[in-house]
């Protein structure tokens, strides 16, 4: 039942309002008490220039307004109607076939009713609307332009609005477009664009669309009273769109083949349209083609149908709503390759895809989407299949046309991923991570991974041209684990929980919630997006470490790592990458003790698979070391304990790599240096060992030690 208490309040406030006269009707309830209605008369403010009781456009000095309340009142506002013959030439009238329903408020009438003054608020807005109608000032340019009202919508057309808007702004020519259409119930037309193919034209469901552009801003508002081709031509003249009849006549040979001609008019307005940030109004029409052989054009009495625009998903639409289209001087349309389409990878690439930054995306994953993936994967409501293929289909649905999927082992795709692209690795697979360090891969890598039940997350971003590589960033991360306990917690394994998936030789998956993964995937995506937009650094890699604490605050520590010094040790055939901080310390310590020689111990990480040694820290020489002008002798006091401390605090990821010493007067390795390296290799049972010399500011490798 309708709430009579509040209807009575509304009725009393209407009678008390200074906008109305004494002719407010009684309240009428329908038989089942679910609806109430009453009407009143508003006294309008007429300017002195209008002497009679009616304006030239048909607004009267005294206007009747009717309110219809249902059981949703007072949370739902009543429907408001003006007299049936109120002139519909004005903007801000809601589309209706018979009644006149004014749009009195920019927001929701329901919200307006919740204000302190209750029904008075609604009455004030009605009075303001009517007074503006008197002077024909209903369009408020600060609010935006009111699109042309259409009381009779005859169909829909899937139209790339954003693409067309960008084409107009950039001055590109918009050519005719192919149309595929069909009639639904009640002659409702459903149309979509397709490639223009003249051979397809017929009188059943294939035609074409002519775009007409009015580039000069038009400030004229006209309601849609277009029902025939003649009405349409008159309308184009009213809005100063020139020679439309002749333009259509130029298509005479094609008009004979079709039964409907589609026309879209794009009108530039002085301000943005209400509810959008675009100043281009789009009007769509389907014209019945009754061909006039004499005039070689469409007959004047041919029907005209008005169609609403429905924008299909597209890259341009995504950039519009993500704000990318407003950003200047950013990288766009780069090639991305997503490695791993699981829980984290699917979320990250979906976030990035939805910005519209690029649609050149290749998805690589040979894993199947199984039932347990519903717990955390970004995809829902899907059947089994390859994750890469299913995610590919989802991105296609977004309107990203250049997406590709590869359901193969990533390590078998070297010919694809070595090209000039950016790789996003979300596999959490050590073998793939090591594989990506291969020199043959020229594409930069962005590595993302979660640790410790998704309480820690890492984003590793290589520099341009891989000057700072993934292994440089990982080795520096290990150094942070040694230096700070909070980072060591990341590589501890005692908190991780796994669930076996499948029977027999199945696989393990980490136990964590979708919310926890999502907590990280969004900021990770934003960090990656920022790098993609602005371009990777020329010589600086980035290591970002996130921690989700017990208060559900996600905090990030961010580090920048400069390009390392890269040498090659022929003794073992290993690449040696020396962190820039280590290089600086070697040079500084050498200068400090010059003219005596000095030295120390190298700490780092060895990748046997990639034959790479990464040096990230130094241990100062023990107190029993000897420094002279002609030799340096490394002491041993406390040295073993310090090396073990590195190994303990990094789970063995950092360890003793070798030694370094200085040659203040320059020169290459001495016989003693070669002998020392041979002894170190023997002591380490043939394990790769590095000996460095700072030869007067030039760091070199002792290369000719005998391997054991």
């Amino acid at each position: 039942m309708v709430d009579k208490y509040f209807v009575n309040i509304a009725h009393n406030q209407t009678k008390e309002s200074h906008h109305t006269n004494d002719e407010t009707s009684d309240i009428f309830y329908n038989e089942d008490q679910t609806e109430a209605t009453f009407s009143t008369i508003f006294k309008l403010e007429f300017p002195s220039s209008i002497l009679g009781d009616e304006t030239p456009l048909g607004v009267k000095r005294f206007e009747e307004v009717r309110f219809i309340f249902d059981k949703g009142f007072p949370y739902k506002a009543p429907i408001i109607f003006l007299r049936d013959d109120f002139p519909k030439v004005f903007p801000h009238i809601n589309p209706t076939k018979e009644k006149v329903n004014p749009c009195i408020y920019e927001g929701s009438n329901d919200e307006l009713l919740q204000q302190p003054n209750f029904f008075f608020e609604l009455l004030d807005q009605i009075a303001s609307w009517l007074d503006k109608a008197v002077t024909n000032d209903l369009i408020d340019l600060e609010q935006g332009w009111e699109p042309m009202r259409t009381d009779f919508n005859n169909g829909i057309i899937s139209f790339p609005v954003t693409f067309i808007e960008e084409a107009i702004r950039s001055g590109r020519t918009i050519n005719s477009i192919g149309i595929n259409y069909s009639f639904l119930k009640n002659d409702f037309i459903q149309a979509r664009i397709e490639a223009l193919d003249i051979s397809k034209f017929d009188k059943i469901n294939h035609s074409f669309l002519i775009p007409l552009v009015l580039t000069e801003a038009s400030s004229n508002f006209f309601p849609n009273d277009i029902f025939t081709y003649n009405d349409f031509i008159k309308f184009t003249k009213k809005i100063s769109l020139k020679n439309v009849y002749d333009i259509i006549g130029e298509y005479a040979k094609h008009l004979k083949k079709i039964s409907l001609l589609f026309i879209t008019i794009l009108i530039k307005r002085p301000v943005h349209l209400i509810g959008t940030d675009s100043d281009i109004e789009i009007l769509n029409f389907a014209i019945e083609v009754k061909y006039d052989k004499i005039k070689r054009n469409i007959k004047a009495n041919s029907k005209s149908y008005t169609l609403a625009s429905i924008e299909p998903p597209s890259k341009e639409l995504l950039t519009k709503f993500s704000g990318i289209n407003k950003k200047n001087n950013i990288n766009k349309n780069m090639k991305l390759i997503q490695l791993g389409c699981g829980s984290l990878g699917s979320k990250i690439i979906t976030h990035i895809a939805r910005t519209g930054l690029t649609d050149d995306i290749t998805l690589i994953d040979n894993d199947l989407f199984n039932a347990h993936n519903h717990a955390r994967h970004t995809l829902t409501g899907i059947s089994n299949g390859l994750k890469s293929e299913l995610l590919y289909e989802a991105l296609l649905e977004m309107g990203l046309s250049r997406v590709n999927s590869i359901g193969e082992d990533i390590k078998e795709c070297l010919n694809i991923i070595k090209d000039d692209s950016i790789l996003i690795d979300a596999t959490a697979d050590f073998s793939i991570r090591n594989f990506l360090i291969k020199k043959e891969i020229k594409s930069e890598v962005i590595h993302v991974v979660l640790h410790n039940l998704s309480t820690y997350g890492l984003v590793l971003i290589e520099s341009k041209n891989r000057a700072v590589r993934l292994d440089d960033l990982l080795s520096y991360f290990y150094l942070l684990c040694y230096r700070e306990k909070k980072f060591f917690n990341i590589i501890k394994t005692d908190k991780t929980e796994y669930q076996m998936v499948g029977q027999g030789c199945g696989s393990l998956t980490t136990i964590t919630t979708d919310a926890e993964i999502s907590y990280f995937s969004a900021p990770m995506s934003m960090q990656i997006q920022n790098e993609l937009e602005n371009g990777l650094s020329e010589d600086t890699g980035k290591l970002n470490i996130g921690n989700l604490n017990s208060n559900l605050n996600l905090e990030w520590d961010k580090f920048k790592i400069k390009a390392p010094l890269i040498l090659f040790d022929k003794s073992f055939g290993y690449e040696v990458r020396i962190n820039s901080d280590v290089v600086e310390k070697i040079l500084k310590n050498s200068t400090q003790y010059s003219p005596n020689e000095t030295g120390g111990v190298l700490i780092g990480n060895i990748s046997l698979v990639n034959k790479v040694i990464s040096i990230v820290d130094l241990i100062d020489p023990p107190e029993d070391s000897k420094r002279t002008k002609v030799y340096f002798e490394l002491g041993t006091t406390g040295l073993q304990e310090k090396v073990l401390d590195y190994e303990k605090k990094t789970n063995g990821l950092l360890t003793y790599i070798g030694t370094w010493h200085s040659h203040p007067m320059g020169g290459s390795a001495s016989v003693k240096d070669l002998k020392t390296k041979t002894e170190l290799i023997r002591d380490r049972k043939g394990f790769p060992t590095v000996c460095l010399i700072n030869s007067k500011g030039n760091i070199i490798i002792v290369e000719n030690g005998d391997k054991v």
Side-chain angles (χ1 to χ4, degrees):
M1 292 178 61
V2 68
D3 194 318
K4 293 184 178 181
Y5 173 78
F6 285 106
V7 172
N8 282 326
I9 292 177
H11 187 254
N12 290 334
Q13 288 188 345
T14 301
K15 291 193 293 184
E16 294 169 11
S17 173
H18 65 279
H19 299 302
T20 63
N21 61 15
D22 296 330
E23 299 183 42
T24 300
S25 71
D26 293 334
I27 304 171
F28 173 78
Y29 294 94
N30 64 356
E31 185 174 348
D32 56 5
Q33 305 287 295
T34 58
E35 184 177 284
T37 181
F38 66 80
S39 63
T40 190
I41 302 296
F42 276 74
K43 183 178 180 181
L44 278 54
E45 296 290 337
F46 269 42
S48 58
S49 58
I50 300 178
L51 301 178
D53 289 333
E54 187 172 331
T55 71
L57 291 177
V59 181
K60 297 180 180 180
R61 190 181 296 270
F62 297 94
E63 284 289 354
E64 180 183 8
V65 177
R66 178 169 294 277
F67 302 98
I68 299 177
F69 305 82
D70 64 19
K71 58 185 178 182
F73 184 76
Y75 302 105
K76 178 183 175 184
I79 300 174
I80 303 167
F81 288 127
L82 305 180
R83 56 185 166 90
D84 290 348
D85 60 347
F86 187 91
K88 299 179 76 172
V89 297
F90 300 104
H92 297 299
I93 295 178
N94 292 314
T96 55
K97 292 185 178 180
E98 298 176 358
K99 301 290 184 179
V100 182
N101 174 220
C103 179
I104 63 169
Y105 182 57
E106 184 177 2
S108 165
N109 288 356
D110 298 343
E111 293 181 7
L112 186 64
L113 201 59
Q114 311 310 312
Q115 302 305 310
N117 291 326
F118 192 51
F119 212 70
F120 284 132
E121 301 279 358
L122 209 66
L123 298 171
D124 288 345
Q125 289 295 324
I126 295 171
S128 175
W129 191 96
L130 289 169
D131 288 340
K132 289 178 181 177
V134 169
T135 55
N136 196 17
D137 288 326
L138 277 167
I139 287 185
D140 181 356
L141 295 184
E142 291 186 2
Q143 181 185 9
W145 186 267
E146 169 79 356
M148 184 174 74
R149 184 184 70 258
T150 300
D151 294 330
F152 297 86
N153 182 43
N154 305 112
I156 56 174
I157 180 171
S158 180
F159 194 78
V161 176
T162 304
F163 174 79
I164 295 297
E165 289 174 347
E166 289 186 3
I168 292 174
R169 293 191 184 95
S170 62
R172 299 199 303 269
T173 301
I174 306 173
N175 298 316
S176 298
I177 307 169
I179 290 288
N180 184 305
Y181 69 93
S182 60
F183 281 95
L184 305 181
K185 290 182 179 180
N186 300 319
D187 289 337
F188 190 85
I189 300 170
Q190 187 175 50
R192 61 178 178 84
I193 64 170
E194 62 180 13
L196 183 65
D197 185 349
I198 297 174
S199 65
K200 286 186 176 181
F201 290 173
D202 58 35
K203 294 183 178 293
I204 301 173
N205 52 24
H206 285 94
S207 182
F208 63 98
L209 181 147
I210 302 174
L212 302 173
V213 181
L214 184 62
T215 55
E216 295 183 6
S218 173
S219 301
N220 297 319
F221 176 87
F222 301 102
N224 188 347
D225 54 359
I226 303 168
F227 301 100
T228 67
Y229 181 56
N230 188 50
D231 295 335
F232 172 80
I233 295 300
K234 287 181 179 179
F235 174 76
T236 62
K237 292 178 180 178
K238 285 196 293 185
I239 62 174
S240 301
L241 198 55
K242 300 177 181 178
N243 304 319
V244 173
Y245 185 84
D246 295 335
I247 292 172
I248 294 174
E250 293 175 1
Y251 292 87
K253 65 178 181 179
H254 300 312
L255 294 177
K256 299 176 183 179
K257 303 176 183 177
I258 60 176
S259 58
L260 279 181
L261 171 66
F262 292 80
I263 301 175
T264 292
I265 300 179
L266 302 113
I267 307 173
K268 183 174 176 58
R269 293 302 188 182
V271 294
H272 68 89
L273 274 68
I274 294 174
T276 77
D277 59 357
S278 172
D279 60 354
I280 298 172
E281 183 174 2
I282 299 177
L283 307 176
N284 303 300
F285 302 93
I287 310 294
E288 177 190 23
V289 179
K290 294 180 180 178
Y291 188 67
D292 189 324
K293 295 181 180 179
I294 297 175
K295 296 182 178 180
R296 294 176 56 81
N297 210 304
I298 299 173
K299 292 182 178 180
N301 65 348
S302 297
K303 292 181 181 179
S304 175
Y305 304 97
T306 300
L307 310 179
S309 294
I310 294 183
E311 183 163 11
S314 66
K315 176 178 178 291
E316 291 75 20
L317 184 64
L318 294 174
T319 63
K320 179 178 180 180
F321 282 91
S322 69
I324 291 291
N325 66 329
K326 294 183 178 179
K327 295 183 179 181
N328 298 318
N329 302 318
I330 66 171
N331 294 330
K332 295 181 180 179
N333 300 314
M334 73 286 291
K335 181 179 180 180
L336 296 183
I337 299 180
Q338 175 66 42
L339 308 178
C341 301
S343 299
L344 181 61
S346 66
K347 294 179 191 295
I348 285 177
I349 197 61
T350 300
H351 285 312
I352 294 172
R354 282 174 170 155
T355 68
L357 188 61
T358 182
D359 62 351
D360 193 347
I361 300 173
T362 298
L363 308 166
I364 303 180
D365 197 324
N366 65 344
D367 196 13
L368 287 171
F369 188 99
N370 292 310
H372 74 275
N373 293 120
H374 286 288
R376 297 188 298 261
H377 206 276
T378 197
L379 297 177
T380 60
I382 59 174
S383 57
N384 293 344
L386 286 174
K387 293 176 182 177
S388 55
E389 182 67 23
L390 296 171
L391 191 56
Y392 157 79
E393 293 173 359
L395 297 191
L396 281 182
E397 288 292 321
M398 295 182 195
L400 302 178
S401 58
R402 294 193 292 168
V403 183
N404 186 29
S405 71
I406 299 174
E408 298 179 16
D409 187 329
I410 292 168
K411 297 184 286 295
E412 301 297 326
C413 300
L414 182 61
N415 62 321
I416 297 171
I417 65 177
K418 71 179 182 180
D419 295 334
D420 184 20
S421 55
I422 294 178
L423 311 180
I424 302 175
D425 172 32
T427 61
D429 186 313
F430 292 129
S431 66
I432 291 174
R433 190 181 69 190
N434 285 332
F435 173 76
L436 294 176
I437 293 171
K438 292 172 71 72
K439 291 181 180 179
E440 294 91 332
I441 297 175
K442 306 302 180 184
S443 301
E444 297 90 350
V445 177
I446 297 176
H447 176 75
V448 293
V449 67
L450 299 178
H451 286 278
N452 280 32
L453 304 178
S454 299
T455 57
Y456 286 93
L458 272 64
V459 181
L460 286 69
I461 304 169
E462 293 187 342
S463 66
K464 196 170 184 180
N465 298 320
R466 311 198 78 186
V468 179
R469 210 168 58 186
L470 192 57
D471 44 354
D472 303 319
L473 300 169
L474 286 167
S475 298
Y476 189 80
F477 167 63
Y478 303 151
L479 180 61
L480 292 175
C481 294
Y482 165 75
R483 289 176 175 174
E484 296 190 46
K485 184 177 180 180
K486 67 175 182 179
F487 296 134
F488 173 62
N489 290 334
I490 300 175
I491 58 175
K492 287 170 62 177
T493 58
D494 57 348
K495 282 188 176 181
T496 306
E497 298 179 21
Y498 297 98
Q499 173 65 48
M500 179 64 73
V501 178
Q503 298 179 350
C505 294
S507 61
L508 292 173
T509 184
T510 307
I511 301 299
T512 187
T513 68
D514 180 67
E516 288 166 332
I517 295 177
S518 298
Y519 228 115
F520 278 96
S521 66
M524 284 178 166
S525 301
M526 292 175 68
Q527 293 170 32
I528 295 172
Q529 179 185 336
N530 183 65
E531 295 297 326
L532 297 178
E533 288 181 10
N534 299 308
L536 301 178
S537 171
E538 293 286 344
D539 58 0
T540 302
K542 296 178 182 178
L543 168 61
N544 301 336
I545 305 174
N547 173 219
L548 181 62
N549 61 32
S550 58
N551 294 322
L552 297 182
N553 293 321
L554 183 55
E555 300 174 345
W556 289 90
D557 291 288
K558 298 184 178 182
F559 304 90
K560 293 183 178 180
I561 294 88
K562 295 180 181 178
L565 172 65
I566 302 174
L567 303 175
F568 189 78
D569 191 339
K570 296 178 181 178
S571 305
F572 294 91
Y574 272 61
E575 181 182 65
V576 180
R577 303 176 72 87
I578 309 171
N579 181 276
S580 62
D581 292 340
V582 171
V583 173
E584 187 177 332
K585 287 180 183 178
I586 289 175
L587 297 177
K588 183 178 179 180
N589 291 349
S590 299
T591 301
Q592 180 181 351
Y593 290 100
S594 183
N596 292 334
E597 292 188 7
T598 189
V601 171
L602 304 173
I603 296 295
N605 173 266
I606 299 176
S607 172
L608 297 175
V609 173
N610 292 304
K611 303 188 75 174
V612 174
I613 297 174
S614 300
I615 301 172
V616 292
D617 206 6
L618 301 177
I619 295 179
D620 292 334
E623 293 180 358
D624 58 336
S625 300
K626 295 180 182 180
R627 300 181 179 90
T628 73
K629 292 183 179 180
V630 293
Y631 74 90
F632 167 74
E633 183 177 306
L634 183 67
T636 59
T637 302
L639 188 57
Q640 184 176 4
E641 290 78 4
K642 290 182 179 179
V643 171
L644 289 174
D645 191 46
Y646 274 95
E647 294 175 347
K648 178 181 178 181
K649 291 180 178 178
T650 64
N651 277 353
L653 293 169
L654 291 184
T655 188
Y656 174 89
I657 297 298
T659 64
W660 76 275
H661 69 282
S662 62
H663 284 184
M665 303 304 294
S668 58
S670 65
V671 173
K672 179 177 174 59
D673 296 334
L674 296 173
K675 181 179 178 181
T676 298
K677 182 166 184 179
T678 299
E679 291 173 352
L680 288 175
I681 294 172
R682 182 179 294 111
D683 291 343
R684 287 164 58 78
K685 298 180 180 180
F687 208 70
T689 304
V690 175
C691 290
L692 299 178
I693 296 174
N694 175 19
S695 178
K696 207 174 182 178
N698 183 31
I699 297 178
I700 60 176
I701 286 182
V702 179
E703 292 185 320
N704 297 320
D706 295 329
K707 287 197 289 184
V708 178

